[in-house]
Amino acid sequence: MELYGRDEERAVVEGLLDGARKQRGGVLVVRGEAGIGKTALLDHAAEHAPDLRVLRGLGIESESELAFAGLHLLLGAHAALLDALPAPQARALRAAFGLDVDVRAAADDGPGAGRGSSADRFLVGLAVLSLLGEIADERPLLVLVDDAQWLDQASVEALLFAARRLGSDPVALVFAVRDGHPFPASGLAELRLTGLDEESGAHLLHRHADGLPAHVRGMILQEAHGNPLALLELPAALSAAQRSGDLHADFFHLGSRPVSERVERTFLDRARALPARAQDLLLVAAAEPTGDLGAVLAAGRALDASLDDLAAAEASRLISVTDGRLRFTHPLSRSAVYRAAPLSLRTAAHRALAEATTADRRAWHRAAAATGPDESVAADLERTAEAARRRGGHQAEAAAYERAAALSPADEQRARRLVAAAEAVENAGEQQRAATLADRAAAHPHDPLTRARLARIRATAANARGDQRAAHALLVDAAAEVGPYDAEAAAYMFLDAMSAAWALNDPGMIARTSAGLTALRSSPVPHAEPGAAHLVTAVDGLAAVALGDPARGLPAARLLVEAPATAASAPGLWERASTHWWHQLIGDLGAAYERARALERDCRAGDAIGLMPAALFHLARAQLLMGRLRDATATASEGVRIAEDTRQGLFAGNLRGVLAHIAAAEGDEDRCRALTKELSAQGLPIAGAWSGGALALLDLGHGRHDEALHRLEDLWAGPHGHSGFALYALPDLVESAVRVGRTERAEAATAAFATWADATGQPWARAVTLRCRALLATVGAAGAVAGAGSVDPAEAARESDPAEAASGSDPADALFAEAVGVHRVHPHDQRPFERARTELLYGEWLRRRLRRTDARPRLRAALELFEAVGAPLWAERARAELRATGETTPVRDREPGLLDRLTPQELQIVRLAATGLSNRDIAAQLFLSPRTVGYHLYKAYPKLGVAARGELARMDLGERRPSAGPEAQAPPGPA
């Protein structure tokens, strides 16, 4: 087939095919108006791929509410390959195809799923990725999906999830999407088709409508606006007089209507020229989306149409029949026939089809034929919704429930179905639409438990749009009402309400939450439910912390995050992911790390892809705070990828914030600023806190103390000044304030940090508190920082008296030495980066006091620790200070280790490979394809200097724990 005027477009498509031939997966979204040539370009791709296996799919508008209908039409013929997939993926895809629905039902209610959970809809996407890889095992694969805008949402999610992970799979995937319809393909390559240029349009018209007078061809070219389908179809609609040019151009009556409407009109005129029974059969075909010829003929018989009437429709070139399947020659012809038919005929066609099709489609045909409330039809739709839920098709479930509600004669049934629709939409990840449905449902009378469910849905949506105040009001009111009936549900709602109050740092909201807790605690129900009592105590502790009393609040808050995993009422994955936010308040980073690692491991084992961004954020945050920068980079990078694929913008932003802090600690200014710019572009409320803290740390590393202080004061005074973001940045504020002579600011920050540190009882926090007090002690009477600049005459005089210099009588000396001592008492210091900063600041102070011999051990320790955690900018600062002491021992620049040569994803893969896992097992854990895993191993082996997988087991690939550093050669001073 020849394409006119599409040289650039053909080159793009052929490049995609070449990539698949070279083991490079790729995806392309072709967009354009109806008739612009999208299908022709897909046909061209198929024709130029004789060496590729080709799969073709089609989105059908009337199928858009049937879960996984498009996916089944595309891949259902390859169900025999499901046994080659990892078992959880195979189960998920079988359930999606309706082959094993009981498995999906069990997954919904299985242990560990947690509050509000459902089967992970993204697991089907991972299964699609694996299945495409299996299909492409023998030769590269080309997948073409036309009219993708009509695919059901479950199929869209699954296909796009797979498309973003093709990596090294020899698969080319092309979607054709009509303009004016949503198709969430952000981040994927796009190709927009526009009208043909005049010369190409003239060539096409000449090829297919030769013999028209020149002025008639000119009118058609003008009317078609370069739309190839219009150029083909408008000439066929001309009468003999029009073809000869005897009639004026106004006879076309095309005016300013869109080209698609003009072409649709030609299809409709062609249909209306058919005999009446042929038109009826054509309408039945338009209403039956699968092209099942048997179903069309069976339904046609109910309208007195027969196989003979089909011949006339075929002769009109509106439809074709191949291999028992009926296909409209263009989607516009289908829509023209269906929309132009009167309601009575459409109703009759759907009623006839309901008797000739399978269960799910029967329910929708009955619904299309209904002209008023009908409980029988509504009950059929409800059964369809339940089947969609078992398959994981939450959008289809919601559509069926919503339509069932509209057809429900009784208010009680209508309300119940609207609630189910709202919950299904929430499970599909569309909080705002869920809130709209919940608002409609709330207009009907409900019991307290149902009202609480609706309030939670509406509050979740309010939080998602940044309206924590509205979320808080909904949750507190609903929790108070539901408390006498379900204390644990009420306690969780109070927890969510406290989170909203905390986010706004609003004492009034916090006090209102506490008052609700007091009422719940006085009820006899919580005491009979240990889980509820535990939550009430914990949330009350959070209130105390928020109101400035960490000593009273932290012990209670520990109850929230330290629930024993073996308890009979142990929290599920959802609850663990939700409550882990509060670990940063406890300060026990080791425990936070271990629990985050366990959460991540359990999410992988349970294929809970939707929860992975939360689990990876908590893990990356713990790794960052513990100075494991390389590991945090690998974790956060994976988290960003999954968060974007699953459309979880909040976690994508939080993970970018972690990466920005890593870049700041490493001194990578360009990367840090690029990441904070991305954060700002996301528009998240928390973006300013992440960016402010990261850029301030970057400024500190570069010695820009004024800029650092300005950023940190903004953070402290802003809406997140009470949060963990500001809490962990307080020592940075102290250092920058001391350096610029803002003693009063440093004192306030030190006092705030010390109050929290004392309440945590964590040694690292005590050591950092001592460092802050030491910095304050370096401030001279005049307010300048002793030792912050050049050495003054008094210091030079003291250098002549070594006894005084070494006596340790200076308060700063004693505090610095005690801080180092506290760090060193604990060999597995939870914050090696902070210990390195303590050693550096002490060494700098000693060196500027001209105590060079005492300074060198401190600076050597700082250098080694900074190099161990991977902070080259800070390491260079320590190295420069060492040179200033006259260090004669050459300090060799640290060469990158083997693992530093790997990308974050390569590091993850080689670690798993070293444990003996196969490529397939690794792919299942990392939500990749086995071929992509193999590709990364192929790239990693030369970097590590190994030739085979077995050699990895003998390498040290574990998470790096920086050493405690060399012991000081000089006494540490007073402890």
Side-chain angles (χ1 to χ4, degrees), residues 502-544:
W502 182 281
L504 293 178
N505 196 22
D506 187 316
M509 291 168 65
I510 294 169
R512 188 179 172 201
T513 310
S514 295
L517 285 168
T518 300
L520 182 63
R521 190 185 296 106
S522 64
S523 165
V525 179
H527 300 294
E529 299 182 25
H534 158 89
L535 279 170
V536 168
T537 302
V539 178
D540 205 30
L542 295 178

Coordinates of all heavy atoms in Angstrom, one line a residue, residues 502-544:
W502 N -1.5 17.7 61.2 CA -0.1 17.8 61.3 C 0.5 18.5 60.1 O 1.3 19.4 60.1 CB 0.5 16.4 61.4 CG 2.0 16.4 61.6 CD1 2.9 16.5 60.6 CD2 2.8 16.2 62.8 NE1 4.2 16.5 61.1 CE2 4.1 16.3 62.4 CE3 2.4 16.0 64.1 CZ2 5.1 16.1 63.4 CZ3 3.4 15.9 65.1 CH2 4.8 16.0 64.7
A503 N -0.1 18.1 58.9 CA 0.4 18.7 57.6 C 0.2 20.2 57.6 O 1.0 21.0 57.0 CB -0.3 18.1 56.4
L504 N -0.9 20.7 58.2 CA -1.2 22.1 58.3 C -0.6 22.8 59.5 O -0.7 24.1 59.6 CB -2.7 22.4 58.2 CG -3.4 22.0 56.9 CD1 -4.9 22.2 57.0 CD2 -2.8 22.8 55.7
N505 N -0.1 22.0 60.4 CA 0.4 22.6 61.7 C -0.6 23.5 62.4 O -0.3 24.6 62.8 CB 1.7 23.3 61.4 CG 2.5 23.6 62.7 OD1 2.3 22.9 63.7 ND2 3.4 24.6 62.7
D506 N -1.8 23.0 62.4 CA -2.9 23.8 63.0 C -3.3 23.3 64.4 O -3.9 22.2 64.5 CB -4.1 23.7 62.0 CG -5.3 24.6 62.4 OD1 -5.6 24.7 63.6 OD2 -5.8 25.2 61.5
P507 N -3.0 24.1 65.4 CA -3.2 23.7 66.8 C -4.7 23.4 67.0 O -5.1 22.5 67.8 CB -2.7 24.8 67.6 CG -1.7 25.5 66.8 CD -2.2 25.4 65.4
G508 N -5.6 24.2 66.4 CA -7.0 24.0 66.6 C -7.5 22.7 66.0 O -8.3 22.0 66.6
M509 N -7.0 22.3 64.9 CA -7.3 21.0 64.3 C -6.8 19.9 65.1 O -7.4 18.8 65.3 CB -6.8 20.9 62.8 CG -7.5 21.9 61.9 SD -6.6 22.0 60.3 CE -6.8 20.3 59.6
I510 N -5.6 20.1 65.6 CA -5.0 19.0 66.5 C -5.8 18.9 67.7 O -6.1 17.7 68.2 CB -3.5 19.4 66.8 CG1 -2.7 19.4 65.5 CG2 -2.9 18.4 67.8 CD1 -1.3 20.0 65.7
A511 N -6.2 20.0 68.3 CA -7.0 19.9 69.6 C -8.4 19.3 69.3 O -8.9 18.5 70.1 CB -7.2 21.3 70.1
R512 N -9.0 19.5 68.1 CA -10.3 18.9 67.8 C -10.1 17.4 67.7 O -11.0 16.6 68.1 CB -10.8 19.5 66.6 CG -12.3 19.1 66.3 CD -12.8 19.7 65.0 NE -14.1 19.1 64.7 CZ -14.7 19.1 63.5 NH1 -14.1 19.7 62.5 NH2 -15.9 18.5 63.3
T513 N -9.0 17.0 67.1 CA -8.8 15.6 66.9 C -8.6 14.9 68.3 O -9.1 13.8 68.6 CB -7.5 15.3 66.1 OG1 -7.6 16.1 64.9 CG2 -7.4 13.9 65.7
S514 N -7.8 15.6 69.2 CA -7.6 15.1 70.5 C -8.9 14.9 71.3 O -9.2 14.0 72.0 CB -6.7 16.0 71.3 OG -5.4 15.9 70.7
A515 N -9.8 15.9 71.1 CA -11.1 15.9 71.8 C -11.9 14.7 71.3 O -12.6 14.0 72.1 CB -11.9 17.2 71.5
G516 N -11.9 14.4 70.0 CA -12.5 13.2 69.5 C -12.0 11.9 70.0 O -12.7 11.0 70.3
L517 N -10.6 11.9 70.2 CA -10.0 10.7 70.8 C -10.4 10.5 72.2 O -10.6 9.4 72.6 CB -8.5 10.9 70.7 CG -7.8 10.7 69.3 CD1 -6.4 11.2 69.4 CD2 -7.9 9.3 68.9
T518 N -10.6 11.6 72.9 CA -11.0 11.5 74.3 C -12.4 10.9 74.4 O -12.6 10.0 75.3 CB -11.0 12.9 75.0 OG1 -9.7 13.5 74.9 CG2 -11.5 12.8 76.4
A519 N -13.3 11.3 73.5 CA -14.6 10.7 73.5 C -14.6 9.2 73.2 O -15.3 8.4 73.7 CB -15.5 11.5 72.6
L520 N -13.7 8.9 72.2 CA -13.6 7.5 71.8 C -13.0 6.6 72.9 O -13.5 5.5 73.1 CB -12.8 7.4 70.5 CG -12.6 6.0 69.9 CD1 -14.0 5.5 69.5 CD2 -11.6 6.0 68.7
R521 N -12.0 7.2 73.6 CA -11.4 6.4 74.7 C -12.4 6.2 75.8 O -12.3 5.2 76.5 CB -10.2 7.2 75.2 CG -9.3 6.4 76.1 CD -8.2 7.3 76.7 NE -7.3 7.8 75.7 CZ -7.2 9.0 75.3 NH1 -8.1 9.9 75.8 NH2 -6.3 9.4 74.4
S522 N -13.3 7.1 76.0 CA -14.2 6.9 77.1 C -15.3 5.9 76.8 O -16.0 5.4 77.7 CB -14.9 8.2 77.5 OG -15.7 8.7 76.4
S523 N -15.4 5.5 75.6 CA -16.4 4.5 75.2 C -15.9 3.1 75.6 O -14.7 2.9 75.6 CB -16.6 4.5 73.6 OG -17.2 3.4 73.2
P524 N -16.8 2.2 76.0 CA -16.4 0.9 76.4 C -15.9 0.0 75.2 O -15.2 -1.0 75.4 CB -17.7 0.3 77.0 CG -18.8 1.0 76.3 CD -18.3 2.4 76.1
V525 N -16.2 0.4 74.0 CA -15.9 -0.4 72.8 C -14.4 -0.5 72.6 O -13.8 -1.6 72.5 CB -16.6 0.1 71.6 CG1 -16.2 -0.8 70.4 CG2 -18.1 0.0 71.8
P526 N -13.6 0.6 72.6 CA -12.2 0.5 72.4 C -11.4 -0.5 73.3 O -10.5 -1.1 72.9 CB -11.6 1.9 72.5 CG -12.8 2.8 72.2 CD -14.0 2.0 72.8
H527 N -11.9 -0.5 74.6 CA -11.2 -1.3 75.5 C -11.4 -2.8 75.2 O -10.6 -3.7 75.6 CB -11.6 -1.0 76.9 CG -11.4 0.4 77.3 ND1 -10.1 0.9 77.4 CD2 -12.2 1.4 77.5 CE1 -10.2 2.2 77.7 NE2 -11.5 2.6 77.8
A528 N -12.4 -3.1 74.5 CA -12.6 -4.5 74.1 C -11.9 -4.9 72.8 O -11.9 -6.0 72.4 CB -14.1 -4.8 73.9
E529 N -11.3 -3.9 72.2 CA -10.6 -4.1 70.9 C -9.2 -3.6 71.1 O -8.9 -2.4 71.0 CB -11.3 -3.4 69.8 CG -12.7 -3.9 69.5 CD -13.3 -3.2 68.3 OE1 -12.6 -2.7 67.4 OE2 -14.6 -3.1 68.3
P530 N -8.2 -4.5 71.3 CA -6.8 -4.0 71.6 C -6.3 -3.1 70.4 O -5.6 -2.2 70.7 CB -6.0 -5.3 71.7 CG -7.1 -6.3 72.1 CD -8.3 -5.9 71.4
G531 N -6.6 -3.5 69.2 CA -6.1 -2.7 68.1 C -6.6 -1.3 68.1 O -5.8 -0.3 67.9
A532 N -7.8 -1.1 68.5 CA -8.4 0.3 68.5 C -7.7 1.1 69.7 O -7.3 2.2 69.5 CB -9.9 0.2 68.7
A533 N -7.6 0.4 70.9 CA -7.0 1.1 72.0 C -5.5 1.5 71.7 O -5.1 2.6 72.0 CB -7.0 0.2 73.2
H534 N -4.8 0.6 71.0 CA -3.4 0.8 70.6 C -3.4 2.1 69.7 O -2.5 3.0 69.9 CB -2.9 -0.4 69.9 CG -1.8 -0.2 69.0 ND1 -0.5 -0.3 69.5 CD2 -1.7 0.0 67.7 CE1 0.3 -0.1 68.4 NE2 -0.4 0.1 67.4
L535 N -4.3 2.2 68.7 CA -4.3 3.3 67.8 C -4.6 4.6 68.5 O -4.0 5.6 68.3 CB -5.3 3.0 66.7 CG -4.8 2.1 65.5 CD1 -6.0 1.8 64.6 CD2 -3.7 2.8 64.7
V536 N -5.6 4.5 69.4 CA -6.0 5.8 70.1 C -4.8 6.3 70.9 O -4.5 7.5 70.9 CB -7.2 5.5 71.0 CG1 -7.4 6.6 72.0 CG2 -8.4 5.2 70.2
T537 N -4.1 5.5 71.6 CA -3.0 5.9 72.4 C -1.9 6.5 71.5 O -1.3 7.5 71.8 CB -2.4 4.7 73.2 OG1 -3.4 4.2 74.0 CG2 -1.2 5.2 74.1
A538 N -1.6 5.8 70.4 CA -0.6 6.3 69.5 C -0.9 7.7 68.9 O -0.1 8.6 68.8 CB -0.4 5.3 68.4
V539 N -2.2 7.8 68.4 CA -2.6 9.1 67.8 C -2.6 10.2 68.8 O -2.2 11.4 68.5 CB -4.0 9.0 67.1 CG1 -4.4 10.3 66.5 CG2 -3.9 7.9 66.1
D540 N -2.9 9.9 70.1 CA -2.8 10.9 71.1 C -1.4 11.3 71.3 O -1.1 12.5 71.6 CB -3.4 10.3 72.4 CG -3.9 11.4 73.3 OD1 -4.4 12.4 72.9 OD2 -3.9 11.2 74.6
G541 N -0.5 10.4 71.2 CA 0.9 10.7 71.3 C 1.4 11.7 70.2 O 2.2 12.6 70.4
L542 N 0.9 11.4 69.0 CA 1.2 12.3 67.9 C 0.7 13.8 68.2 O 1.4 14.7 67.8 CB 0.6 11.8 66.6 CG 1.1 10.5 66.1 CD1 0.4 10.1 64.8 CD2 2.6 10.5 65.8
A543 N -0.4 13.8 68.8 CA -0.9 15.2 69.1 C 0.0 15.9 70.1 O 0.3 17.1 69.9 CB -2.3 15.0 69.7
A544 N 0.5 15.1 71.1 CA 1.4 15.7 72.0 C 2.7 16.2 71.3 O 3.2 17.3 71.6 CB 1.8 14.7 73.1

